[in-house]
Amino acid sequence: MKVAVVGVAGRMGRALVRLLDTHPILELSAAVARPGSSAVGRDAGELAGLTDTGVSIVDSLADAVQAMDLVIDFSTPEATMETLRLCLADSQPVVIGTTGFTQPDLDTLNSAAGQLPIVLAPNMSVAVNLTFKLVEIAAKALGDEVDVEVIEAHHRHKVDAPSGTAVRMGEILADTLGRNLEQDAVYGRQGQTGPRERKTIGFSTIRGGEIIGEHTVMFAGAGERLELTHRAQSRDSFVEGALRAAMFVADKHEQKQVGLFDMQDVLGLR
Ligand code: NAD
């Protein structure tokens, strides 16, 4: 199956090229970098630390999209919205790993999912998606007896905060506990904050070095505390998930099914 990767020169893009190289079904067939990037014109494999794959990096998906079976995009919200426009025009299923979308972007994604199968997941790691399920189970069991806090750490290059994964954890907590994330979230604390309100969902963000991604949801009670922690040790965990999402979205397309799916759908955890 022919795959286009958008954001191919990025950290995730290069990891995708490496794992696609050994995939039995999916094949890298188009590689798209930012217009003006020094990667344009280079071989995608060579950039990812492999030998030549024979796929030259281009600066637009527009000419390549028609020949593809699906598109995987790990880039920026702006670039992903352009990918979506091209996929809509050409009925191409798409896997989106990019994070940091605005609400209008998400509205556009939702309406595009009326015409295309789309997998959108802020974290494609299988174990993180299992953690989402565990957070839901813990929140259901512990309810309003505990304080809930989400703590995340990422590398110094990350441009959005809290991470999409942390926000998703907050959404799961809010849904399960019957709270409103917009009203109840507290992003960091400083100064005379007063005592903590039970319904608060707290977020703490750490940025530094080359931390790939760490998330903890803390359920802090009177005499005990439960912490659910996931630590990514390599980007390959996200890529493995993205490739499973790619197979899933291609299958949906083949069955002429459309919709906005996430990794809970891909992994059958819903
Ligand atoms: P990165 O900055 O290393 O890579 C992003 C790449 O996109 C850059 O090379 C940039 O030049 C490129 N780009 C920008 N505009 C483009 C355009 N118009 N066309 C093609 N490419 C364009 O970032 P990264 O660490 O690879 O992460 C990329 C995105 O994926 C971020 O939003 C990040 O938060 C997200 N992410 C998601 C997961 C997940 O599992 N869903 C995991 C890791 C990162």
Side-chain angles (χ1 to χ4, degrees), residues 8-10 14 31-44 46-47 56-59:
V8 77
R14 280 173 285 151
V32 186
R34 176 181 50 78
S37 161
S38 59
V40 174
R42 287 177 66 185
D43 184 275
E46 180 240 306
L47 189 74
S56 278
I57 298 175
V58 294
D59 66 2

PDB file of all heavy atoms in Angstrom, residues 8-10 14 31-44 46-47 56-59:
ATOM      1  N   VAL A   8       8.108  14.822   6.829  1.00  0.00           N
ATOM      2  CA  VAL A   8       9.091  13.723   6.751  1.00  0.00           C
ATOM      3  C   VAL A   8      10.460  14.098   7.327  1.00  0.00           C
ATOM      4  O   VAL A   8      11.222  13.223   7.742  1.00  0.00           O
ATOM      5  CB  VAL A   8       9.190  13.228   5.284  1.00  0.00           C
ATOM      6  CG1 VAL A   8      10.012  14.189   4.423  1.00  0.00           C
ATOM      7  CG2 VAL A   8       9.734  11.824   5.212  1.00  0.00           C
ATOM      8  N   ALA A   9      10.767  15.396   7.364  1.00  0.00           N
ATOM      9  CA  ALA A   9      12.090  15.796   7.867  1.00  0.00           C
ATOM     10  C   ALA A   9      12.102  15.955   9.389  1.00  0.00           C
ATOM     11  O   ALA A   9      13.162  16.159   9.987  1.00  0.00           O
ATOM     12  CB  ALA A   9      12.508  17.116   7.212  1.00  0.00           C
ATOM     13  N   GLY A  10      10.946  15.847  10.005  1.00  0.00           N
ATOM     14  CA  GLY A  10      10.861  16.023  11.456  1.00  0.00           C
ATOM     15  C   GLY A  10      11.292  14.766  12.200  1.00  0.00           C
ATOM     16  O   GLY A  10      11.618  13.743  11.596  1.00  0.00           O
ATOM     17  N   ARG A  14      11.077  11.138  10.338  1.00  0.00           N
ATOM     18  CA  ARG A  14      12.259  10.296  10.072  1.00  0.00           C
ATOM     19  C   ARG A  14      12.085   8.913  10.720  1.00  0.00           C
ATOM     20  O   ARG A  14      12.453   7.898  10.134  1.00  0.00           O
ATOM     21  CB  ARG A  14      13.530  10.999  10.567  1.00  0.00           C
ATOM     22  CG  ARG A  14      13.996  12.063   9.565  1.00  0.00           C
ATOM     23  CD  ARG A  14      15.143  12.872  10.099  1.00  0.00           C
ATOM     24  NE  ARG A  14      14.662  13.819  11.099  1.00  0.00           N
ATOM     25  CZ  ARG A  14      15.376  14.281  12.116  1.00  0.00           C
ATOM     26  NH1 ARG A  14      16.608  13.890  12.288  1.00  0.00           N
ATOM     27  NH2 ARG A  14      14.854  15.148  12.959  1.00  0.00           N
ATOM     28  N   ALA A  31       7.197  11.649   0.113  1.00  0.00           N
ATOM     29  CA  ALA A  31       7.755  12.230   1.336  1.00  0.00           C
ATOM     30  C   ALA A  31       7.700  13.744   1.189  1.00  0.00           C
ATOM     31  O   ALA A  31       8.253  14.296   0.236  1.00  0.00           O
ATOM     32  CB  ALA A  31       9.190  11.751   1.516  1.00  0.00           C
ATOM     33  N   VAL A  32       7.006  14.395   2.135  1.00  0.00           N
ATOM     34  CA  VAL A  32       6.763  15.833   1.997  1.00  0.00           C
ATOM     35  C   VAL A  32       7.366  16.591   3.173  1.00  0.00           C
ATOM     36  O   VAL A  32       7.091  16.287   4.337  1.00  0.00           O
ATOM     37  CB  VAL A  32       5.237  16.131   1.927  1.00  0.00           C
ATOM     38  CG1 VAL A  32       4.995  17.616   1.646  1.00  0.00           C
ATOM     39  CG2 VAL A  32       4.553  15.266   0.885  1.00  0.00           C
ATOM     40  N   ALA A  33       8.197  17.592   2.839  1.00  0.00           N
ATOM     41  CA  ALA A  33       8.778  18.472   3.862  1.00  0.00           C
ATOM     42  C   ALA A  33       8.246  19.891   3.648  1.00  0.00           C
ATOM     43  O   ALA A  33       7.583  20.186   2.638  1.00  0.00           O
ATOM     44  CB  ALA A  33      10.300  18.445   3.776  1.00  0.00           C
ATOM     45  N   ARG A  34       8.559  20.761   4.589  1.00  0.00           N
ATOM     46  CA  ARG A  34       8.142  22.168   4.531  1.00  0.00           C
ATOM     47  C   ARG A  34       8.762  22.850   3.308  1.00  0.00           C
ATOM     48  O   ARG A  34       9.952  22.652   3.039  1.00  0.00           O
ATOM     49  CB  ARG A  34       8.608  22.844   5.826  1.00  0.00           C
ATOM     50  CG  ARG A  34       8.355  24.324   5.943  1.00  0.00           C
ATOM     51  CD  ARG A  34       8.909  24.841   7.270  1.00  0.00           C
ATOM     52  NE  ARG A  34      10.275  24.441   7.552  1.00  0.00           N
ATOM     53  CZ  ARG A  34      11.354  25.010   7.010  1.00  0.00           C
ATOM     54  NH1 ARG A  34      11.249  26.014   6.169  1.00  0.00           N
ATOM     55  NH2 ARG A  34      12.557  24.562   7.317  1.00  0.00           N
ATOM     56  N   PRO A  35       7.965  23.648   2.585  1.00  0.00           N
ATOM     57  CA  PRO A  35       8.566  24.393   1.473  1.00  0.00           C
ATOM     58  C   PRO A  35       9.745  25.227   1.982  1.00  0.00           C
ATOM     59  O   PRO A  35       9.644  25.868   3.028  1.00  0.00           O
ATOM     60  CB  PRO A  35       7.412  25.303   0.986  1.00  0.00           C
ATOM     61  CG  PRO A  35       6.169  24.626   1.455  1.00  0.00           C
ATOM     62  CD  PRO A  35       6.521  23.911   2.725  1.00  0.00           C
ATOM     63  N   GLY A  36      10.856  25.171   1.278  1.00  0.00           N
ATOM     64  CA  GLY A  36      12.041  25.924   1.693  1.00  0.00           C
ATOM     65  C   GLY A  36      12.973  25.112   2.581  1.00  0.00           C
ATOM     66  O   GLY A  36      14.094  25.538   2.872  1.00  0.00           O
ATOM     67  N   SER A  37      12.526  23.933   3.012  1.00  0.00           N
ATOM     68  CA  SER A  37      13.379  23.100   3.877  1.00  0.00           C
ATOM     69  C   SER A  37      14.571  22.581   3.076  1.00  0.00           C
ATOM     70  O   SER A  37      14.451  22.247   1.894  1.00  0.00           O
ATOM     71  CB  SER A  37      12.547  21.916   4.397  1.00  0.00           C
ATOM     72  OG  SER A  37      13.397  20.893   4.856  1.00  0.00           O
ATOM     73  N   SER A  38      15.718  22.473   3.766  1.00  0.00           N
ATOM     74  CA  SER A  38      16.923  21.963   3.083  1.00  0.00           C
ATOM     75  C   SER A  38      16.777  20.481   2.757  1.00  0.00           C
ATOM     76  O   SER A  38      17.581  19.916   2.019  1.00  0.00           O
ATOM     77  CB  SER A  38      18.154  22.196   3.956  1.00  0.00           C
ATOM     78  OG  SER A  38      17.961  21.529   5.185  1.00  0.00           O
ATOM     79  N   ALA A  39      15.724  19.839   3.312  1.00  0.00           N
ATOM     80  CA  ALA A  39      15.511  18.410   3.033  1.00  0.00           C
ATOM     81  C   ALA A  39      14.927  18.177   1.645  1.00  0.00           C
ATOM     82  O   ALA A  39      15.050  17.081   1.090  1.00  0.00           O
ATOM     83  CB  ALA A  39      14.567  17.827   4.083  1.00  0.00           C
ATOM     84  N   VAL A  40      14.286  19.213   1.066  1.00  0.00           N
ATOM     85  CA  VAL A  40      13.613  19.044  -0.236  1.00  0.00           C
ATOM     86  C   VAL A  40      14.654  18.646  -1.285  1.00  0.00           C
ATOM     87  O   VAL A  40      15.730  19.243  -1.375  1.00  0.00           O
ATOM     88  CB  VAL A  40      12.869  20.340  -0.649  1.00  0.00           C
ATOM     89  CG1 VAL A  40      12.283  20.216  -2.063  1.00  0.00           C
ATOM     90  CG2 VAL A  40      11.765  20.651   0.360  1.00  0.00           C
ATOM     91  N   GLY A  41      14.334  17.576  -2.043  1.00  0.00           N
ATOM     92  CA  GLY A  41      15.241  17.092  -3.089  1.00  0.00           C
ATOM     93  C   GLY A  41      16.149  15.969  -2.605  1.00  0.00           C
ATOM     94  O   GLY A  41      16.695  15.223  -3.408  1.00  0.00           O
ATOM     95  N   ARG A  42      16.271  15.825  -1.268  1.00  0.00           N
ATOM     96  CA  ARG A  42      17.114  14.736  -0.753  1.00  0.00           C
ATOM     97  C   ARG A  42      16.320  13.426  -0.737  1.00  0.00           C
ATOM     98  O   ARG A  42      15.099  13.416  -0.811  1.00  0.00           O
ATOM     99  CB  ARG A  42      17.590  15.058   0.670  1.00  0.00           C
ATOM    100  CG  ARG A  42      18.655  16.145   0.696  1.00  0.00           C
ATOM    101  CD  ARG A  42      19.060  16.491   2.105  1.00  0.00           C
ATOM    102  NE  ARG A  42      19.741  15.412   2.800  1.00  0.00           N
ATOM    103  CZ  ARG A  42      20.102  15.459   4.089  1.00  0.00           C
ATOM    104  NH1 ARG A  42      19.853  16.541   4.797  1.00  0.00           N
ATOM    105  NH2 ARG A  42      20.712  14.438   4.667  1.00  0.00           N
ATOM    106  N   ASP A  43      17.016  12.314  -0.601  1.00  0.00           N
ATOM    107  CA  ASP A  43      16.341  11.027  -0.506  1.00  0.00           C
ATOM    108  C   ASP A  43      15.813  10.849   0.928  1.00  0.00           C
ATOM    109  O   ASP A  43      16.541  11.088   1.895  1.00  0.00           O
ATOM    110  CB  ASP A  43      17.311   9.897  -0.846  1.00  0.00           C
ATOM    111  CG  ASP A  43      16.607   8.552  -0.852  1.00  0.00           C
ATOM    112  OD1 ASP A  43      16.469   7.938   0.228  1.00  0.00           O
ATOM    113  OD2 ASP A  43      16.164   8.139  -1.939  1.00  0.00           O
ATOM    114  N   ALA A  44      14.541  10.426   1.039  1.00  0.00           N
ATOM    115  CA  ALA A  44      13.915  10.320   2.368  1.00  0.00           C
ATOM    116  C   ALA A  44      14.651   9.314   3.243  1.00  0.00           C
ATOM    117  O   ALA A  44      14.799   9.529   4.453  1.00  0.00           O
ATOM    118  CB  ALA A  44      12.454   9.922   2.218  1.00  0.00           C
ATOM    119  N   GLU A  46      17.853   8.383   3.076  1.00  0.00           N
ATOM    120  CA  GLU A  46      19.170   8.926   3.444  1.00  0.00           C
ATOM    121  C   GLU A  46      19.018   9.904   4.626  1.00  0.00           C
ATOM    122  O   GLU A  46      19.777   9.860   5.587  1.00  0.00           O
ATOM    123  CB  GLU A  46      19.770   9.608   2.202  1.00  0.00           C
ATOM    124  CG  GLU A  46      21.131  10.224   2.390  1.00  0.00           C
ATOM    125  CD  GLU A  46      21.111  11.709   2.113  1.00  0.00           C
ATOM    126  OE1 GLU A  46      20.669  12.101   1.011  1.00  0.00           O
ATOM    127  OE2 GLU A  46      21.489  12.471   3.012  1.00  0.00           O
ATOM    128  N   LEU A  47      17.962  10.747   4.556  1.00  0.00           N
ATOM    129  CA  LEU A  47      17.732  11.711   5.643  1.00  0.00           C
ATOM    130  C   LEU A  47      17.435  11.000   6.966  1.00  0.00           C
ATOM    131  O   LEU A  47      17.761  11.486   8.047  1.00  0.00           O
ATOM    132  CB  LEU A  47      16.562  12.632   5.274  1.00  0.00           C
ATOM    133  CG  LEU A  47      16.340  13.808   6.211  1.00  0.00           C
ATOM    134  CD1 LEU A  47      17.415  14.872   6.005  1.00  0.00           C
ATOM    135  CD2 LEU A  47      14.960  14.425   5.992  1.00  0.00           C
ATOM    136  N   SER A  56      12.353  10.768  -3.389  1.00  0.00           N
ATOM    137  CA  SER A  56      12.890  12.124  -3.200  1.00  0.00           C
ATOM    138  C   SER A  56      11.894  12.982  -2.447  1.00  0.00           C
ATOM    139  O   SER A  56      10.689  12.937  -2.725  1.00  0.00           O
ATOM    140  CB  SER A  56      13.107  12.783  -4.561  1.00  0.00           C
ATOM    141  OG  SER A  56      14.302  12.353  -5.085  1.00  0.00           O
ATOM    142  N   ILE A  57      12.385  13.765  -1.521  1.00  0.00           N
ATOM    143  CA  ILE A  57      11.501  14.625  -0.720  1.00  0.00           C
ATOM    144  C   ILE A  57      11.009  15.804  -1.561  1.00  0.00           C
ATOM    145  O   ILE A  57      11.806  16.453  -2.249  1.00  0.00           O
ATOM    146  CB  ILE A  57      12.243  15.108   0.545  1.00  0.00           C
ATOM    147  CG1 ILE A  57      12.618  13.884   1.400  1.00  0.00           C
ATOM    148  CG2 ILE A  57      11.406  16.101   1.334  1.00  0.00           C
ATOM    149  CD1 ILE A  57      13.465  14.197   2.614  1.00  0.00           C
ATOM    150  N   VAL A  58       9.685  16.034  -1.506  1.00  0.00           N
ATOM    151  CA  VAL A  58       9.077  17.148  -2.246  1.00  0.00           C
ATOM    152  C   VAL A  58       8.520  18.161  -1.242  1.00  0.00           C
ATOM    153  O   VAL A  58       8.452  17.889  -0.043  1.00  0.00           O
ATOM    154  CB  VAL A  58       7.952  16.641  -3.200  1.00  0.00           C
ATOM    155  CG1 VAL A  58       8.540  15.761  -4.294  1.00  0.00           C
ATOM    156  CG2 VAL A  58       6.878  15.877  -2.430  1.00  0.00           C
ATOM    157  N   ASP A  59       8.102  19.329  -1.740  1.00  0.00           N
ATOM    158  CA  ASP A  59       7.628  20.360  -0.805  1.00  0.00           C
ATOM    159  C   ASP A  59       6.117  20.543  -0.826  1.00  0.00           C
ATOM    160  O   ASP A  59       5.603  21.491  -0.241  1.00  0.00           O
ATOM    161  CB  ASP A  59       8.355  21.689  -1.037  1.00  0.00           C
ATOM    162  CG  ASP A  59       8.015  22.303  -2.385  1.00  0.00           C
ATOM    163  OD1 ASP A  59       7.182  21.716  -3.118  1.00  0.00           O
ATOM    164  OD2 ASP A  59       8.587  23.355  -2.707  1.00  0.00           O
TER     165      ASP A  59
END
